[in-house]
């Protein structure tokens, strides 16, 4: 069993996941709310037809998922969590971190720590908080993920 974040967006899920695919690669599937089956006699809201009802970015055997929240539901943005991503090298971590931080908010610059040769935190321009790191089993202090 694995825990997987399911990101909620305030109408910019398509833009966010398109950017995440540019940054991480992988296969992206987007399902617009207007293309989703609906039940009952109430047709889908035409104003929400272009919003994303489900997004999935598959990178290797990992998946990042999300959707646009119903209109008006995202009043305070994402709070109380970060998406953590382990990278294979310091160079790759730098490339990904710079791409995610572009147009967003830098919380902790990417750099060496007692537990990683490269660790940093940012909130991307879509409001998603990220923690990127390079795992090094030789460094103590943090369990491997």
């Amino acid at each position: 069993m694995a825990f997987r974040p399911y990101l909620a967006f305030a109408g910019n899920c398509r833009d966010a996941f398109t950017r995440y695919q540019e940054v991480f690669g992988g296969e992206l599937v987007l399902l617009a709310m207007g293309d989703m089956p609906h039940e009952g006699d109430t047709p889908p809201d035409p104003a929400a037809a272009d919003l994303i009802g489900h997004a999935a970015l598959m990178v290797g055997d990992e998946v990042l998922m999300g959707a646009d929240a119903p209109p008006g539901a995202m009043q305070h943005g994402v709070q109380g969590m970060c998406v953590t991503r382990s990278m294979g090298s310091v160079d790759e971590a730098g490339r990904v971190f710079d791409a995610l931080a572009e147009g967003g908010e830098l919380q902790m610059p990417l750099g060496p720590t007692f537990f990683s040769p490269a660790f940093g935190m940012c909130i991307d321009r879509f409001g998603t908080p990220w923690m990127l790191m390079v795992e090094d089993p030789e460094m103590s202090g943090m369990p491997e993920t």
Side-chain angles (χ1 to χ4, degrees):
M1 182 168 108
F3 291 98
R4 289 188 167 74
Y6 198 94
L7 305 177
F9 296 88
N12 58 353
C13 182
R14 181 185 309 273
D15 293 338
F17 270 78
T18 299
R19 178 64 175 158
Y20 300 157
Q21 183 184 34
E22 291 170 1
V23 172
F24 296 110
E27 181 183 342
L28 177 61
V29 176
L30 297 171
L31 179 61
M33 289 187 188
D35 295 332
M36 296 176 74
H38 67 279
E39 296 181 16
D41 297 329
T42 307
D45 179 1
D50 289 334
L51 296 177
I52 298 300
H54 179 70
L57 177 62
M58 281 107 10
V59 181
D61 60 352
E62 298 182 54
V63 63
L64 180 65
M65 297 179 288
D68 283 312
M74 289 285 297
Q75 297 175 10
H76 303 292
V78 179
Q79 296 179 354
M81 60 76 67
C82 291
V83 178
T84 302
R85 176 76 172 156
S86 295
M87 307 305 299
S89 71
V90 172
D91 288 343
E92 181 68 1
R95 181 193 70 76
V96 169
F97 187 82
D98 289 347
L100 292 172
E102 182 182 327
E105 176 186 336
L106 182 65
Q107 295 180 302
M108 181 178 174
L110 188 71
T113 67
F114 70 94
F115 60 87
S116 172
F119 175 83
M121 298 171 61
C122 66
I123 299 174
D124 71 21
R125 66 182 182 225
F126 307 104
T128 302
W130 291 89
M131 290 177 20
L132 272 94
M133 67 180 297
V134 175
E135 292 182 13
D136 185 344
E138 301 297 316
M139 299 180 89
S140 63
M142 294 287 285
E144 292 183 37
T145 56

